[in-house]
Amino acid sequence: DAGVIQSPRHEVTEMGQEVTLRCKPISGHDYLFWYRQTMMRGLELLIYFNNNVPIDDSGMPEDRFSAKMPNASFSTLKIQPSEPRDSAVYFCASSLLASGTDTQYFGPGTRLTVL
Amino acid sequence: DQQVKQNSPSLSVQEGRISILNCDYTNSMFDYFLWYKKYPAEGPTFLISISSIKDKNEDGRFTVFLNKSAKHLSLHIVPSQPGDSAVYFCAASASTSGTYKYIFGTGTRLKVLA
């Protein structure tokens, strides 16, 4: 299996622009997670899906952030409008189960820079 | 409010010596703990885990110790190798709560010197 795939790997944009990050989970995994990594807060869970349905979006920082999972093999995280404080590395992860003990497999991340 | 804390942002250790990475947590509902390892430009990968019913779990050179009364866990790497140089994240979950979330710490950057 190719693992979790994320695109783009790097994104540089200007404040106010819309940014869309993409993720393809491991085939057969029912759970998909979006995380953000910053120096100050480490890895923060933004939102997770089960069978394409958002289950917990309490980590989404503001209404500027939205996530969708239109099918089992694709998810997007959108920021509109983007701000410099959104600069971070965004990771997508998937797991077969979300039992609280199941291994989550991470993608390589998207490094977002908002100027 | 950080429920999982890694108070040492970085650690340097000589090759062949022991590396000890520490993690503290505040939520007494946490009952499952993991360590993930992250190389530059890659996503974190699972390293080792421990359930709260145990106080030690070993996998080769890696051992995780859990002290529930102190709400503290540590990862020991013996002997340390240059390839162990990475950022290590501690994570915790309340697996019986139904929330299915891992709470991660801020990470500790380990540098193993040859």
Side-chain angles (χ1 to χ4, degrees):
Chain A
D1 200 314
V4 175
I5 298 172
Q6 291 186 248
S7 65
R9 294 296 306 276
H10 301 273
E11 176 79 37
V12 180
T13 190
E14 292 190 347
M15 182 174 63
Q17 296 297 306
E18 177 179 296
V19 174
T20 299
L21 311 181
R22 296 172 175 79
C23 174
K24 176 179 168 53
I26 293 173
S27 177
H29 281 191
D30 289 336
Y31 289 83
L32 183 139
F33 306 82
W34 280 102
Y35 289 89
R36 177 172 67 175
Q37 183 194 0
T38 61
M39 290 292 290
M40 291 299 294
R41 302 180 67 85
L43 275 167
E44 297 176 275
L45 177 65
L46 300 177
I47 185 172
Y48 78 91
F49 295 82
N50 175 23
N51 289 324
N52 315 336
V53 176
I55 302 300
D56 185 341
D57 66 354
S58 59
M60 297 286 260
E62 298 172 37
D63 291 344
R64 299 183 296 106
F65 287 70
S66 62
K68 293 182 180 179
M69 192 165 186
N71 59 63
S73 59
F74 184 65
S75 176
T76 60
L77 177 67
K78 186 176 292 187
I79 308 172
Q80 166 64 22
S82 58
E83 296 183 4
R85 60 194 167 118
D86 301 331
S87 298
V89 182
Y90 291 80
F91 289 101
C92 175
S94 70
S95 69
L96 191 58
L97 303 171
S99 62
T101 62
D102 201 51
T103 299
Q104 293 181 15
Y105 297 86
F106 284 76
T110 296
R111 180 174 294 276
L112 173 64
T113 302
V114 183
L115 303 174
Chain B
D1 179 34
Q2 286 281 109
Q3 297 185 64
V4 177
K5 300 177 185 178
Q6 294 178 257
N7 293 318
S8 298
S10 64
L11 175 69
S12 291
V13 171
Q14 207 67 33
E15 181 180 7
R17 305 295 292 269
I18 184 171
S19 295
I20 300 176
L21 292 87
N22 294 304
C23 178
D24 297 295
Y25 61 96
T26 58
N27 189 339
S28 57
M29 294 293 292
F30 289 151
D31 59 1
Y32 191 72
F33 306 88
L34 313 90
W35 286 92
Y36 274 75
K37 176 178 176 179
K38 183 186 177 305
Y39 291 119
E42 296 182 11
T45 55
F46 171 75
L47 184 59
I48 191 168
S49 63
I50 187 167
S51 165
S52 61
I53 63 174
K54 293 185 173 183
D55 54 18
K56 175 183 173 182
N57 188 27
E58 193 171 351
D59 183 2
R61 297 184 297 112
F62 302 91
T63 303
V64 56
F65 296 92
L66 175 62
N67 182 334
K68 291 186 290 293
S69 61
K71 293 191 177 68
H72 176 84
L73 65 155
S74 60
L75 174 68
H76 292 211
I77 306 173
V78 185
S80 302
Q81 299 174 354
D84 297 328
S85 298
V87 176
Y88 290 79
F89 289 98
C90 170
S93 76
S95 65
T96 57
S97 70
T99 59
Y100 308 138
K101 289 198 286 194
Y102 291 162
I103 307 298
F104 283 84
T106 51
T108 296
R109 183 178 300 277
L110 172 66
K111 189 171 184 178
V112 180
L113 306 169

